[in-house]
Amino acid sequence: MSKKTKAYFAATMYALIIGFSFMFVKLSLVASSPLDTLAHRFSIAFVIATAIIVLKKIRLNVTKKDLCNIIPLALIYPTLFFTFQTFGLVYASSSEAGIILATVPIFTLILASVYLKEHTVPLQKASVLLSVSGVIFIFVMNGADTGSQNVKGIFLMLLSALTGAYNTVLARKLVQHYSFFTITYVMTLFGFIFFNIVAIGNHMITKTMHQFIEPFSSGTFIIAIVYLGALSSLGTSFFSNYALSQIEASKMSVFNNLATLITIIAGVLFLNETIQSYHIFGTIIILLGVLGSNYNAQQKSEKAYAIPRQVNED
């Protein structure tokens, strides 16, 4: 396969893993607190990543300057991204979380415009407003239907989507200078250290260290946490960083739409979650806005690169 084909395969795998991850987070939260879940999943991710380095004899040449460049990304993803996501899923259903995930391409477009100074045409701006109106519609309907706790969960998921979009924009620049495995390992290491310090420190203060280990007595929790650690934490970082080393951030972000579809289906089939008509209507509005904004971005990109591509082919 060509590098582009491998990149799109990696992006598809990223979407599949993310799509099912919300369901496994919900399952893990039955036996564990949000902080403990984050600590355990990144402990597993770190052990696997380290094992890969040892077995494949990979040498990571990371200087202090490199760490200073990568750590800001690690603060956003995994730290803030997974914190907002996990606490958001305490209050929101996995299906609703998947719907909010569809806003990532919109946030990516906005952040690229602000930080990368990318120009947006009027139709793109209109598409952004359309997607935002879909989110607001779901917010309002949820507030009227299920109360403030559910709205709180959706708000936290929106923050998770925002940090995810910022990660896409920032990672796109870093993968041009560092190998995707180096970035993935540093991010995993940072998540392992941060979440374990917070979780263990909290249990030491409250004198409840036994609760940190208790969840492993549940078979469902073990399955869920291994999936979250090996695939959702480590696997998604690996696949997304590789994909971003070959394709544009805007194209990568569109794969969140596939993850949204998978999340909704998984929530309905395996968690018996109910999808209301307003969820479907809001999702359609969001996706139409995403498709509109990315269609225009793609058209502009094709025009911008038309001449260089012709030269390369000749």
Side-chain angles (χ1 to χ4, degrees), residues 34-50:
L35 282 176
D36 289 353
T37 295
L38 288 166
H40 292 317
R41 70 186 288 179
F42 277 95
S43 294
I44 292 173
F46 175 68
V47 169
I48 295 175
T50 303

Side-chain angles (χ1 to χ4, degrees), residues 189-216:
L189 172 62
F190 189 89
F192 165 72
I193 295 173
F194 178 84
F195 289 122
N196 273 282
I197 288 177
V198 174
I200 294 174
N202 179 62
H203 282 297
M204 290 179 67
I205 293 173
T206 58
K207 297 180 180 179
T208 56
M209 275 302 300
H210 63 282
Q211 294 180 3
F212 187 67
I213 306 298
E214 279 181 357
F216 286 96

Side-chain angles (χ1 to χ4, degrees), residues 7-128:
Y8 281 110
F9 174 78
T12 301
M13 291 301 299
Y14 165 84
L16 288 171
I17 294 170
I18 289 293
F20 283 105
S21 67
F22 294 127
M23 178 184 73
F24 283 104
V25 170
K26 295 290 285 188
L27 291 173
S28 68
L29 291 174
V30 174
S32 179
S33 69
L35 282 176
D36 289 353
T37 295
L38 288 166
H40 292 317
R41 70 186 288 179
F42 277 95
S43 294
I44 292 173
F46 175 68
V47 169
I48 295 175
T50 303
I52 292 174
I53 288 178
V54 173
L55 293 175
K56 289 187 172 292
K57 298 180 180 180
I58 299 174
R59 297 185 63 182
L60 297 179
N61 297 316
V62 182
T63 65
K64 290 183 179 179
K65 182 180 179 181
D66 296 333
L67 287 175
C68 290
N69 291 332
I70 299 174
I71 283 180
L73 177 64
L75 284 170
I76 297 168
Y77 186 99
T79 311
L80 290 178
F81 176 81
F82 284 112
T83 298
F84 290 139
Q85 180 192 101
T86 304
F87 278 91
L89 283 165
V90 172
Y91 306 105
S93 69
S94 65
S95 299
E96 289 170 331
I99 292 171
I100 300 305
L101 179 68
T103 62
V104 170
I106 295 299
F107 285 128
T108 302
L109 183 68
I110 296 172
L111 290 173
S113 176
V114 174
Y115 292 100
L116 304 180
K117 306 303 179 184
E118 293 182 358
H119 176 70
T120 56
V121 299
L123 191 54
Q124 283 180 284
K125 293 183 175 68
S127 297
V128 169

